[in-house]
Structure formats: structure tokens, C-alpha cells
Amino acid sequence: MTFREPTDNHAADVRDLIALCPQLDRNSLYCELLLCTDFADTCVLAERAGEVVGWLATYRRPSEPSTLFIWQIAVHPEVRNIGVGKGLIISALNRPSCESVTHVEATVTLSNRASKLLFAGVARDLRAPIRQAVRFDRDIHFKGQHESEYTIAIGPIERSLSPAGMPADLPSQYLNKEATMTDRSAPDGGGEFAIFHHLESEVRSYARRFPVVFATARGAQLFARDGTAYLDFLMGCSSLNYGHNPPELKNALADYLAGDGITHSLDLYSEAKESFLRELDETILRPRQLDYVVQFPGPTGANAVEAALKLARKITGRPNIIAFTNGFHGVSLGALSCTGNRYHRAAAGQLLGGVTRLPYDGYLGSAVDTADYLDHLLSDPSSGVDAPAAVIVETVQGEGGLNVAGTEWLRKVAAIARRHGALLIVDDIQAGVGRTGAFFSFEAAGLRPDIVTMAKSISGYGLPMALVLIDRQLDKWEPGEHNGTFRGNCHAFVTARAALEHFWRTDSFAASVAEKGNLLKSRLDQIARKYGPGRVSAKGRGMMRGIDLKSGEVAGQVISTAFQNGLILEAAGPKDEVVKCLAPLVIGENQLSQGLDILEYAIDSVIANGPTTAA
């Protein structure tokens, strides 16, 4: 990639490039623009193999010669996301005509996440502060017909000139007028990620999709180290249902820490645990007439599943467990045996037995009732399916692709388990704590599971914590028979109690989640209708929803495009073909709509082979 000063011979090339960027102005006469003295010395072209692939138009106002105002940037779709836009800006700053420039400015709308990300990267490379302020107000200047526009200001830029007259402190790959482009933004290309690449295991996954160092978080947003804001629709894979740093929980934890509260207590009696158990009983269990005892098995959902399976086998004396296609219950060996995903199962390095896998609701199409199939197999002494200790099921399969079990199907499965002497285990690790509307995802079906596993958002604050809720008559554990060193996380008890107290003592929070779930459903259905069910379909329940794009490759491109525009999402399903929207349950409707706008733009861009960023 090379950068050069354009001439009037490039007018047609620039005009054609602008045509590939429909969000930009295509009406300017570029042949005249290139001859304009206010632009000529500060315009930059990017070329690859002799083809114009990037265009930057800037100017310096006579009244503000120290400020370089960026009027327009265009980058060919085939070379986006490798730093071309950044290279164009730095190359302009290296021009002799800009040697006195100390500030860079541009105007952007808040929805233009790609440009905001670009300018944040420029500020980082220049080691200069960046600020944002309203320039043109939507209602005052545009009469409500256009988004407000904001000034992005970078500077002052510290510049010390080398003997050749070039700014010696600018990034070295941009110092030559026709420099070769390198990708500083790629995960393996910069020092920013060096410590992670050097010391962190290759097992990391989410960081590969989102190559940014995050520093702070609040509500529905994550903030990168350079200050760039991202809407978070991943939320720790539903571990942060109340958002980042909810103040009611943060204050409770801060007070506890300030009072030298106990941090780690194994399973000793503690005031923090006492307060949590009392709140859980009074706010959640007794109003729902659930007579459960609580086991703290360890800090993760997989710990809870391991304990539940072990207890079911102990109670019944049976080794077999019934699990379902596309189920996900964890990746430790016992839980992994119940997990359907081939990729995760292959990492076990050994046979995974003790589980019979049967089709989930709808797995064989709407004409086949797979609950009847389960009953038939268990009723036939020659089916080859051993009598199970338990049936483990998710009411909504999160990692499996947002597959929703019908209410009648769940009731039938519960009755079948009871009839055949098996326990019913509901894995509510991802679908619980309000994600599908009610506190438990099984409430709508009127179920009374024998065992419920919970984790993720049960602490309310992202602190490690898991529960196994056990029917009181089935608590057959002997002391110490199942344990875990970190089963007494008092900090998690504090925030979990505060969450139940603040969000669940009345029905108002659940009602607000239901309203936002309806809005989410409506928008996703609207997006899907544009393409038809063969290409795009909406899935899920409550605020555990997403878009099935029928292709893991397409879903991956959509997630990448959304990230470039300020939205973090994840994929699910057997081929990662489903884009999940796990926005915090406390998100405001404006932010929810803004995130869905970005998702819709990303889907439209990828499916229509359009631009992948809004430059």
C-alpha cells in the first residue's frame, strides 16, 4: 500500500471510489476539487497495485491554519479494516504543507461508530488527547430531520522535526511520502497485545473476535483503553444481566469491603451468606412455593452441573443421564458428556459415556413430538436405553442456537421423567435470572424441577458464583461428599443479595424485561422479514434472542461488521450461524434500538455485499 499526493488525472478514479461508499457525497466535481488550493496540498490517495483504493480530502481554514479538518475519507471495501483510513490521515500530517498542524478535527454522528473507532485509533497512534462535543444539534440546526453531528478533535499533537523536516515522533511506518502500509490494528501486529500473545494460552476465544484492550465498563457499554465506547450485547454470555457495575450492587460491595467483610469462607457460616439465603428464600423461593435447599458447589456453571449429575446418580443408583441434541452444559468431563457440540467434545481426549442423547423439541421437525419418542424408548424394555437417573434440559438452548422448548413439550418431559423414576434437572445457568422474563425460565411452563442449576448472573455483578437448588426431600449428600474450595465467595453473596433485593422484590423489573423482550422480538422479526425464512430467521424467547443467518461464515462477518460499528455480539448454534443478542436486562430502549440499528446495518451490509463500515 502506498500513499501519494493526487493530481487532476486521478479525478475519475476518486469518483469511482466514492461510488463504492454510498454513505458519502458523490456529487462533488472531483476534477475541480483537486485543483482547489484549499484542498490540493492536503489530499491523499492510497494505491495498491496501481489501483486507487483510498481517498482523503482535508483542508486548513485560513483562520485556523494549525487545524487539519477532515472533510471526507473513502476506502475501497476490499481493503477495509487494515488501517488504510488511519494511514491516509497520518500521511497527510506528514506533508510539508501540514508541518504546522497541531490539531485534527472531523464531524461525525453518534451512529457512525466506524469513524469514531478510526479517529480513536489515530489519536492513540499520535499519542494525543481526543475530545467530542456537539457541533450541530438535531433539533436546533436540523429541525429533527437529521442526527446531531459531533466534532471529534484530536490534539495537541507533539511534533519534533527530524533533519529531513518530517515529524519524527509520528509512527515510523507513515514517515515516507509513499510508505508501505502495515496493519497495526490486527491482533498480531502491535505491541498493545504483545503480553497476551506471549503469555496467554491459545485457548482464548472471544479476544480473537474483539481485538481491543478494554479498560472500563458502565451499564450497557464497554470502553476501550483509548476511550472508544462499545454497546455490549454479549454481557459476559449473560453473566451481567443487570449491566456493568450496577450502582446498587457496587455500593453494597464497596460498603462490605470498607467494613473488612470476609472474602473467603469455604462453607463456614457467614453473615454474607446468611443475608443472601434469607433474601433468596423470602423473595424468590417462598413466593413460588419452591421448597429447595441450596448447595454452593464451586464458582462455575459446570461445577453446578457436575454436582447435579452426581447427586442424581447417587439418589437413584442409575448411571445413565438423558440429555438433548444441541444442549450445552459445560466442558468439564461430566458436564461435557451431556454437551452436544462436537468441537467441545473432541477436546476431551477420551470417551464420554453415561449419557443417552435424544432429540430436543423441534429437532426432527414440527411433525414429530420428540417427547413421545422419549417416552416410547423408556417404556420399551428392548429399546437399548437404560433407565435414567435424570433428564437434564435447557428450556432455551443458549449455546445450541437459541432453540426454544415449547411449554407442552416441557411439561410432557417432566411427566415422563417422573413416570420412569428419573429426576428432572433444569439447567437455568444462561436462561435464568430474568433472561427469559421471569426469574426462572421454567416458570411459564409451571414446572417444579427436582434440581435446578444456576450460575452466570446469580451473583448479579459478574463475580464467580453457582448454585444447585435441590428439592428438600432429595438432599441426600453426606457432609463433605461434594465440595469446592471457592464455594464460599462472600463478595458474590453480597452482590447477589443486593440484586434480589433491588430488582426482584416487586414485579416491576420483570414487567420491564417483558416489554423490552417484545421490542427485541419485533425488531428481529422485522429484520428477518426483509430476507425471508430461508435466509434469515429470528429465534429465542424474552431477552434471549437472536438472528439465524443459516451460515457460520455470514454470521462471523456480521459480528465483525457490528464490532467495527461499536456493537459486541456473539455466535451460537452448531455451526455458529446464530447471532445472539444478550443485551443487559436494564438497558434503556434508546440504547437497545441503537444496538439493533447497528445489527441491522451489519446484516444488510454483509448479505448485500455492501460496505462493511460507515467511513
Side-chain angles (χ1 to χ4, degrees), residues 421-454:
L423 304 185
L424 177 66
I425 302 172
V426 171
D427 182 335
D428 232 15
I429 292 167
Q430 186 169 150
V433 195
R435 177 54 63 181
T436 58
F439 186 82
F440 296 109
S441 72
F442 54 80
E443 291 184 50
L447 301 186
R448 291 288 188 273
D450 298 299
I451 300 175
V452 182
T453 59
M454 306 193 78

PDB file of all heavy atoms in Angstrom, residues 421-454:
ATOM      1  N   GLY A 421     -39.165 -42.722  36.999  1.00  0.00           N
ATOM      2  CA  GLY A 421     -38.281 -42.725  38.160  1.00  0.00           C
ATOM      3  C   GLY A 421     -37.010 -41.927  37.999  1.00  0.00           C
ATOM      4  O   GLY A 421     -36.035 -42.151  38.733  1.00  0.00           O
ATOM      5  N   ALA A 422     -36.994 -40.986  37.071  1.00  0.00           N
ATOM      6  CA  ALA A 422     -35.814 -40.146  36.846  1.00  0.00           C
ATOM      7  C   ALA A 422     -36.056 -38.749  37.416  1.00  0.00           C
ATOM      8  O   ALA A 422     -37.193 -38.286  37.497  1.00  0.00           O
ATOM      9  CB  ALA A 422     -35.502 -40.042  35.357  1.00  0.00           C
ATOM     10  N   LEU A 423     -34.992 -38.097  37.813  1.00  0.00           N
ATOM     11  CA  LEU A 423     -35.094 -36.726  38.290  1.00  0.00           C
ATOM     12  C   LEU A 423     -35.087 -35.769  37.099  1.00  0.00           C
ATOM     13  O   LEU A 423     -34.461 -36.045  36.077  1.00  0.00           O
ATOM     14  CB  LEU A 423     -33.929 -36.389  39.224  1.00  0.00           C
ATOM     15  CG  LEU A 423     -33.733 -37.290  40.444  1.00  0.00           C
ATOM     16  CD1 LEU A 423     -32.616 -36.740  41.327  1.00  0.00           C
ATOM     17  CD2 LEU A 423     -35.015 -37.452  41.234  1.00  0.00           C
ATOM     18  N   LEU A 424     -35.763 -34.654  37.260  1.00  0.00           N
ATOM     19  CA  LEU A 424     -35.740 -33.608  36.246  1.00  0.00           C
ATOM     20  C   LEU A 424     -34.763 -32.519  36.688  1.00  0.00           C
ATOM     21  O   LEU A 424     -34.969 -31.884  37.728  1.00  0.00           O
ATOM     22  CB  LEU A 424     -37.128 -33.003  36.040  1.00  0.00           C
ATOM     23  CG  LEU A 424     -37.178 -31.833  35.038  1.00  0.00           C
ATOM     24  CD1 LEU A 424     -36.838 -32.313  33.625  1.00  0.00           C
ATOM     25  CD2 LEU A 424     -38.540 -31.147  35.078  1.00  0.00           C
ATOM     26  N   ILE A 425     -33.706 -32.326  35.897  1.00  0.00           N
ATOM     27  CA  ILE A 425     -32.732 -31.255  36.141  1.00  0.00           C
ATOM     28  C   ILE A 425     -32.946 -30.184  35.081  1.00  0.00           C
ATOM     29  O   ILE A 425     -32.829 -30.460  33.889  1.00  0.00           O
ATOM     30  CB  ILE A 425     -31.281 -31.772  36.060  1.00  0.00           C
ATOM     31  CG1 ILE A 425     -31.046 -32.908  37.059  1.00  0.00           C
ATOM     32  CG2 ILE A 425     -30.293 -30.630  36.292  1.00  0.00           C
ATOM     33  CD1 ILE A 425     -29.689 -33.587  36.902  1.00  0.00           C
ATOM     34  N   VAL A 426     -33.244 -28.971  35.503  1.00  0.00           N
ATOM     35  CA  VAL A 426     -33.319 -27.848  34.569  1.00  0.00           C
ATOM     36  C   VAL A 426     -32.028 -27.042  34.697  1.00  0.00           C
ATOM     37  O   VAL A 426     -31.696 -26.554  35.783  1.00  0.00           O
ATOM     38  CB  VAL A 426     -34.543 -26.953  34.831  1.00  0.00           C
ATOM     39  CG1 VAL A 426     -34.456 -25.674  33.994  1.00  0.00           C
ATOM     40  CG2 VAL A 426     -35.825 -27.706  34.480  1.00  0.00           C
ATOM     41  N   ASP A 427     -31.313 -26.949  33.604  1.00  0.00           N
ATOM     42  CA  ASP A 427     -30.102 -26.130  33.540  1.00  0.00           C
ATOM     43  C   ASP A 427     -30.545 -24.706  33.234  1.00  0.00           C
ATOM     44  O   ASP A 427     -30.867 -24.371  32.096  1.00  0.00           O
ATOM     45  CB  ASP A 427     -29.167 -26.672  32.449  1.00  0.00           C
ATOM     46  CG  ASP A 427     -27.860 -25.904  32.346  1.00  0.00           C
ATOM     47  OD1 ASP A 427     -27.828 -24.732  32.733  1.00  0.00           O
ATOM     48  OD2 ASP A 427     -26.867 -26.479  31.849  1.00  0.00           O
ATOM     49  N   ASP A 428     -30.558 -23.865  34.262  1.00  0.00           N
ATOM     50  CA  ASP A 428     -31.004 -22.475  34.117  1.00  0.00           C
ATOM     51  C   ASP A 428     -29.829 -21.513  34.227  1.00  0.00           C
ATOM     52  O   ASP A 428     -29.994 -20.354  34.628  1.00  0.00           O
ATOM     53  CB  ASP A 428     -32.057 -22.135  35.186  1.00  0.00           C
ATOM     54  CG  ASP A 428     -33.311 -21.524  34.587  1.00  0.00           C
ATOM     55  OD1 ASP A 428     -33.487 -21.622  33.360  1.00  0.00           O
ATOM     56  OD2 ASP A 428     -34.116 -20.958  35.343  1.00  0.00           O
ATOM     57  N   ILE A 429     -28.654 -21.989  33.844  1.00  0.00           N
ATOM     58  CA  ILE A 429     -27.439 -21.201  34.020  1.00  0.00           C
ATOM     59  C   ILE A 429     -27.437 -19.959  33.139  1.00  0.00           C
ATOM     60  O   ILE A 429     -27.096 -18.869  33.588  1.00  0.00           O
ATOM     61  CB  ILE A 429     -26.206 -22.089  33.765  1.00  0.00           C
ATOM     62  CG1 ILE A 429     -26.094 -23.133  34.886  1.00  0.00           C
ATOM     63  CG2 ILE A 429     -24.931 -21.257  33.659  1.00  0.00           C
ATOM     64  CD1 ILE A 429     -25.126 -24.257  34.589  1.00  0.00           C
ATOM     65  N   GLN A 430     -27.837 -20.103  31.879  1.00  0.00           N
ATOM     66  CA  GLN A 430     -27.877 -18.950  30.982  1.00  0.00           C
ATOM     67  C   GLN A 430     -29.278 -18.373  30.850  1.00  0.00           C
ATOM     68  O   GLN A 430     -29.438 -17.158  30.728  1.00  0.00           O
ATOM     69  CB  GLN A 430     -27.345 -19.319  29.594  1.00  0.00           C
ATOM     70  CG  GLN A 430     -27.218 -18.132  28.661  1.00  0.00           C
ATOM     71  CD  GLN A 430     -26.459 -18.441  27.379  1.00  0.00           C
ATOM     72  OE1 GLN A 430     -26.706 -17.845  26.342  1.00  0.00           O
ATOM     73  NE2 GLN A 430     -25.524 -19.381  27.429  1.00  0.00           N
ATOM     74  N   ALA A 431     -30.293 -19.208  30.878  1.00  0.00           N
ATOM     75  CA  ALA A 431     -31.664 -18.745  30.631  1.00  0.00           C
ATOM     76  C   ALA A 431     -32.335 -18.181  31.876  1.00  0.00           C
ATOM     77  O   ALA A 431     -33.386 -17.551  31.772  1.00  0.00           O
ATOM     78  CB  ALA A 431     -32.504 -19.885  30.060  1.00  0.00           C
ATOM     79  N   GLY A 432     -31.747 -18.384  33.053  1.00  0.00           N
ATOM     80  CA  GLY A 432     -32.372 -17.942  34.288  1.00  0.00           C
ATOM     81  C   GLY A 432     -32.034 -16.516  34.668  1.00  0.00           C
ATOM     82  O   GLY A 432     -31.444 -15.752  33.900  1.00  0.00           O
ATOM     83  N   VAL A 433     -32.428 -16.136  35.886  1.00  0.00           N
ATOM     84  CA  VAL A 433     -32.202 -14.805  36.461  1.00  0.00           C
ATOM     85  C   VAL A 433     -32.788 -13.719  35.543  1.00  0.00           C
ATOM     86  O   VAL A 433     -32.162 -12.712  35.264  1.00  0.00           O
ATOM     87  CB  VAL A 433     -30.710 -14.558  36.759  1.00  0.00           C
ATOM     88  CG1 VAL A 433     -30.552 -13.339  37.680  1.00  0.00           C
ATOM     89  CG2 VAL A 433     -30.062 -15.759  37.428  1.00  0.00           C
ATOM     90  N   GLY A 434     -33.988 -13.969  35.033  1.00  0.00           N
ATOM     91  CA  GLY A 434     -34.719 -12.961  34.285  1.00  0.00           C
ATOM     92  C   GLY A 434     -34.454 -12.909  32.798  1.00  0.00           C
ATOM     93  O   GLY A 434     -35.119 -12.164  32.082  1.00  0.00           O
ATOM     94  N   ARG A 435     -33.515 -13.674  32.296  1.00  0.00           N
ATOM     95  CA  ARG A 435     -33.143 -13.565  30.883  1.00  0.00           C
ATOM     96  C   ARG A 435     -34.329 -13.857  29.962  1.00  0.00           C
ATOM     97  O   ARG A 435     -34.443 -13.259  28.884  1.00  0.00           O
ATOM     98  CB  ARG A 435     -31.972 -14.493  30.599  1.00  0.00           C
ATOM     99  CG  ARG A 435     -31.485 -14.563  29.166  1.00  0.00           C
ATOM    100  CD  ARG A 435     -31.158 -13.232  28.568  1.00  0.00           C
ATOM    101  NE  ARG A 435     -30.077 -12.504  29.200  1.00  0.00           N
ATOM    102  CZ  ARG A 435     -29.661 -11.294  28.810  1.00  0.00           C
ATOM    103  NH1 ARG A 435     -30.266 -10.679  27.799  1.00  0.00           N
ATOM    104  NH2 ARG A 435     -28.690 -10.689  29.447  1.00  0.00           N
ATOM    105  N   THR A 436     -35.203 -14.769  30.356  1.00  0.00           N
ATOM    106  CA  THR A 436     -36.370 -15.063  29.523  1.00  0.00           C
ATOM    107  C   THR A 436     -37.643 -14.404  30.050  1.00  0.00           C
ATOM    108  O   THR A 436     -38.734 -14.684  29.569  1.00  0.00           O
ATOM    109  CB  THR A 436     -36.596 -16.587  29.416  1.00  0.00           C
ATOM    110  OG1 THR A 436     -36.774 -17.133  30.728  1.00  0.00           O
ATOM    111  CG2 THR A 436     -35.414 -17.264  28.746  1.00  0.00           C
ATOM    112  N   GLY A 437     -37.496 -13.536  31.034  1.00  0.00           N
ATOM    113  CA  GLY A 437     -38.635 -12.789  31.557  1.00  0.00           C
ATOM    114  C   GLY A 437     -38.808 -12.988  33.048  1.00  0.00           C
ATOM    115  O   GLY A 437     -38.540 -12.090  33.845  1.00  0.00           O
ATOM    116  N   ALA A 438     -39.268 -14.161  33.474  1.00  0.00           N
ATOM    117  CA  ALA A 438     -39.399 -14.478  34.894  1.00  0.00           C
ATOM    118  C   ALA A 438     -38.027 -14.816  35.465  1.00  0.00           C
ATOM    119  O   ALA A 438     -37.060 -15.006  34.730  1.00  0.00           O
ATOM    120  CB  ALA A 438     -40.360 -15.643  35.080  1.00  0.00           C
ATOM    121  N   PHE A 439     -37.950 -14.916  36.805  1.00  0.00           N
ATOM    122  CA  PHE A 439     -36.647 -15.211  37.412  1.00  0.00           C
ATOM    123  C   PHE A 439     -36.121 -16.558  36.928  1.00  0.00           C
ATOM    124  O   PHE A 439     -34.959 -16.681  36.534  1.00  0.00           O
ATOM    125  CB  PHE A 439     -36.756 -15.207  38.942  1.00  0.00           C
ATOM    126  CG  PHE A 439     -35.420 -15.358  39.628  1.00  0.00           C
ATOM    127  CD1 PHE A 439     -34.597 -14.255  39.812  1.00  0.00           C
ATOM    128  CD2 PHE A 439     -34.986 -16.600  40.062  1.00  0.00           C
ATOM    129  CE1 PHE A 439     -33.350 -14.393  40.420  1.00  0.00           C
ATOM    130  CE2 PHE A 439     -33.755 -16.749  40.678  1.00  0.00           C
ATOM    131  CZ  PHE A 439     -32.935 -15.642  40.853  1.00  0.00           C
ATOM    132  N   PHE A 440     -36.972 -17.591  36.952  1.00  0.00           N
ATOM    133  CA  PHE A 440     -36.607 -18.904  36.408  1.00  0.00           C
ATOM    134  C   PHE A 440     -37.220 -19.048  35.022  1.00  0.00           C
ATOM    135  O   PHE A 440     -38.373 -18.666  34.792  1.00  0.00           O
ATOM    136  CB  PHE A 440     -37.131 -20.035  37.296  1.00  0.00           C
ATOM    137  CG  PHE A 440     -36.532 -20.079  38.681  1.00  0.00           C
ATOM    138  CD1 PHE A 440     -37.297 -19.739  39.785  1.00  0.00           C
ATOM    139  CD2 PHE A 440     -35.216 -20.463  38.871  1.00  0.00           C
ATOM    140  CE1 PHE A 440     -36.772 -19.793  41.070  1.00  0.00           C
ATOM    141  CE2 PHE A 440     -34.667 -20.514  40.156  1.00  0.00           C
ATOM    142  CZ  PHE A 440     -35.450 -20.176  41.254  1.00  0.00           C
ATOM    143  N   SER A 441     -36.499 -19.660  34.119  1.00  0.00           N
ATOM    144  CA  SER A 441     -37.012 -19.811  32.752  1.00  0.00           C
ATOM    145  C   SER A 441     -38.131 -20.834  32.669  1.00  0.00           C
ATOM    146  O   SER A 441     -38.878 -20.857  31.695  1.00  0.00           O
ATOM    147  CB  SER A 441     -35.875 -20.228  31.815  1.00  0.00           C
ATOM    148  OG  SER A 441     -35.485 -21.563  32.045  1.00  0.00           O
ATOM    149  N   PHE A 442     -38.261 -21.692  33.683  1.00  0.00           N
ATOM    150  CA  PHE A 442     -39.272 -22.763  33.641  1.00  0.00           C
ATOM    151  C   PHE A 442     -40.600 -22.340  34.257  1.00  0.00           C
ATOM    152  O   PHE A 442     -41.556 -23.126  34.279  1.00  0.00           O
ATOM    153  CB  PHE A 442     -38.753 -24.025  34.345  1.00  0.00           C
ATOM    154  CG  PHE A 442     -38.266 -23.805  35.754  1.00  0.00           C
ATOM    155  CD1 PHE A 442     -39.151 -23.705  36.821  1.00  0.00           C
ATOM    156  CD2 PHE A 442     -36.910 -23.711  36.022  1.00  0.00           C
ATOM    157  CE1 PHE A 442     -38.707 -23.512  38.114  1.00  0.00           C
ATOM    158  CE2 PHE A 442     -36.445 -23.508  37.309  1.00  0.00           C
ATOM    159  CZ  PHE A 442     -37.344 -23.412  38.367  1.00  0.00           C
ATOM    160  N   GLU A 443     -40.690 -21.132  34.764  1.00  0.00           N
ATOM    161  CA  GLU A 443     -41.923 -20.702  35.430  1.00  0.00           C
ATOM    162  C   GLU A 443     -43.117 -20.695  34.488  1.00  0.00           C
ATOM    163  O   GLU A 443     -44.238 -21.052  34.881  1.00  0.00           O
ATOM    164  CB  GLU A 443     -41.730 -19.315  36.047  1.00  0.00           C
ATOM    165  CG  GLU A 443     -40.784 -19.293  37.232  1.00  0.00           C
ATOM    166  CD  GLU A 443     -40.697 -17.924  37.873  1.00  0.00           C
ATOM    167  OE1 GLU A 443     -41.762 -17.325  38.159  1.00  0.00           O
ATOM    168  OE2 GLU A 443     -39.571 -17.429  38.087  1.00  0.00           O
ATOM    169  N   ALA A 444     -42.901 -20.273  33.230  1.00  0.00           N
ATOM    170  CA  ALA A 444     -44.020 -20.185  32.279  1.00  0.00           C
ATOM    171  C   ALA A 444     -44.651 -21.547  32.031  1.00  0.00           C
ATOM    172  O   ALA A 444     -45.849 -21.635  31.729  1.00  0.00           O
ATOM    173  CB  ALA A 444     -43.536 -19.585  30.963  1.00  0.00           C
ATOM    174  N   ALA A 445     -43.861 -22.607  32.158  1.00  0.00           N
ATOM    175  CA  ALA A 445     -44.385 -23.960  31.942  1.00  0.00           C
ATOM    176  C   ALA A 445     -44.958 -24.563  33.214  1.00  0.00           C
ATOM    177  O   ALA A 445     -45.503 -25.672  33.180  1.00  0.00           O
ATOM    178  CB  ALA A 445     -43.274 -24.862  31.396  1.00  0.00           C
ATOM    179  N   GLY A 446     -44.844 -23.855  34.328  1.00  0.00           N
ATOM    180  CA  GLY A 446     -45.376 -24.360  35.589  1.00  0.00           C
ATOM    181  C   GLY A 446     -44.635 -25.560  36.125  1.00  0.00           C
ATOM    182  O   GLY A 446     -45.214 -26.384  36.845  1.00  0.00           O
ATOM    183  N   LEU A 447     -43.347 -25.691  35.828  1.00  0.00           N
ATOM    184  CA  LEU A 447     -42.577 -26.857  36.257  1.00  0.00           C
ATOM    185  C   LEU A 447     -42.114 -26.726  37.708  1.00  0.00           C
ATOM    186  O   LEU A 447     -41.952 -25.616  38.228  1.00  0.00           O
ATOM    187  CB  LEU A 447     -41.348 -27.056  35.365  1.00  0.00           C
ATOM    188  CG  LEU A 447     -41.577 -27.271  33.872  1.00  0.00           C
ATOM    189  CD1 LEU A 447     -40.248 -27.596  33.183  1.00  0.00           C
ATOM    190  CD2 LEU A 447     -42.589 -28.373  33.621  1.00  0.00           C
ATOM    191  N   ARG A 448     -41.881 -27.858  38.346  1.00  0.00           N
ATOM    192  CA  ARG A 448     -41.245 -27.943  39.650  1.00  0.00           C
ATOM    193  C   ARG A 448     -40.075 -28.912  39.514  1.00  0.00           C
ATOM    194  O   ARG A 448     -40.174 -30.079  39.892  1.00  0.00           O
ATOM    195  CB  ARG A 448     -42.218 -28.443  40.722  1.00  0.00           C
ATOM    196  CG  ARG A 448     -43.334 -27.494  41.081  1.00  0.00           C
ATOM    197  CD  ARG A 448     -42.789 -26.296  41.883  1.00  0.00           C
ATOM    198  NE  ARG A 448     -43.860 -25.455  42.404  1.00  0.00           N
ATOM    199  CZ  ARG A 448     -44.415 -24.472  41.737  1.00  0.00           C
ATOM    200  NH1 ARG A 448     -44.052 -24.220  40.492  1.00  0.00           N
ATOM    201  NH2 ARG A 448     -45.362 -23.724  42.295  1.00  0.00           N
ATOM    202  N   PRO A 449     -38.951 -28.466  38.946  1.00  0.00           N
ATOM    203  CA  PRO A 449     -37.825 -29.382  38.735  1.00  0.00           C
ATOM    204  C   PRO A 449     -37.334 -29.966  40.055  1.00  0.00           C
ATOM    205  O   PRO A 449     -37.440 -29.342  41.122  1.00  0.00           O
ATOM    206  CB  PRO A 449     -36.753 -28.491  38.104  1.00  0.00           C
ATOM    207  CG  PRO A 449     -37.497 -27.300  37.569  1.00  0.00           C
ATOM    208  CD  PRO A 449     -38.658 -27.111  38.483  1.00  0.00           C
ATOM    209  N   ASP A 450     -36.772 -31.153  39.984  1.00  0.00           N
ATOM    210  CA  ASP A 450     -36.171 -31.750  41.178  1.00  0.00           C
ATOM    211  C   ASP A 450     -34.872 -31.041  41.541  1.00  0.00           C
ATOM    212  O   ASP A 450     -34.560 -30.879  42.726  1.00  0.00           O
ATOM    213  CB  ASP A 450     -35.895 -33.238  40.931  1.00  0.00           C
ATOM    214  CG  ASP A 450     -37.164 -34.016  40.654  1.00  0.00           C
ATOM    215  OD1 ASP A 450     -38.040 -34.052  41.538  1.00  0.00           O
ATOM    216  OD2 ASP A 450     -37.298 -34.559  39.544  1.00  0.00           O
ATOM    217  N   ILE A 451     -34.128 -30.634  40.516  1.00  0.00           N
ATOM    218  CA  ILE A 451     -32.849 -29.953  40.713  1.00  0.00           C
ATOM    219  C   ILE A 451     -32.758 -28.827  39.684  1.00  0.00           C
ATOM    220  O   ILE A 451     -33.142 -29.010  38.525  1.00  0.00           O
ATOM    221  CB  ILE A 451     -31.651 -30.922  40.546  1.00  0.00           C
ATOM    222  CG1 ILE A 451     -31.727 -32.061  41.564  1.00  0.00           C
ATOM    223  CG2 ILE A 451     -30.327 -30.178  40.672  1.00  0.00           C
ATOM    224  CD1 ILE A 451     -30.639 -33.125  41.382  1.00  0.00           C
ATOM    225  N   VAL A 452     -32.244 -27.676  40.105  1.00  0.00           N
ATOM    226  CA  VAL A 452     -32.018 -26.544  39.205  1.00  0.00           C
ATOM    227  C   VAL A 452     -30.566 -26.118  39.350  1.00  0.00           C
ATOM    228  O   VAL A 452     -30.072 -25.941  40.472  1.00  0.00           O
ATOM    229  CB  VAL A 452     -32.935 -25.347  39.541  1.00  0.00           C
ATOM    230  CG1 VAL A 452     -32.706 -24.198  38.559  1.00  0.00           C
ATOM    231  CG2 VAL A 452     -34.399 -25.774  39.540  1.00  0.00           C
ATOM    232  N   THR A 453     -29.879 -25.968  38.231  1.00  0.00           N
ATOM    233  CA  THR A 453     -28.515 -25.446  38.268  1.00  0.00           C
ATOM    234  C   THR A 453     -28.519 -23.982  37.837  1.00  0.00           C
ATOM    235  O   THR A 453     -29.186 -23.606  36.869  1.00  0.00           O
ATOM    236  CB  THR A 453     -27.566 -26.249  37.355  1.00  0.00           C
ATOM    237  OG1 THR A 453     -28.049 -26.201  35.999  1.00  0.00           O
ATOM    238  CG2 THR A 453     -27.480 -27.688  37.799  1.00  0.00           C
ATOM    239  N   MET A 454     -27.760 -23.155  38.572  1.00  0.00           N
ATOM    240  CA  MET A 454     -27.695 -21.726  38.284  1.00  0.00           C
ATOM    241  C   MET A 454     -26.256 -21.250  38.428  1.00  0.00           C
ATOM    242  O   MET A 454     -25.478 -21.789  39.205  1.00  0.00           O
ATOM    243  CB  MET A 454     -28.595 -20.928  39.234  1.00  0.00           C
ATOM    244  CG  MET A 454     -30.037 -21.401  39.273  1.00  0.00           C
ATOM    245  SD  MET A 454     -31.127 -20.214  40.091  1.00  0.00           S
ATOM    246  CE  MET A 454     -31.320 -19.016  38.785  1.00  0.00           C
TER     247      MET A 454
END
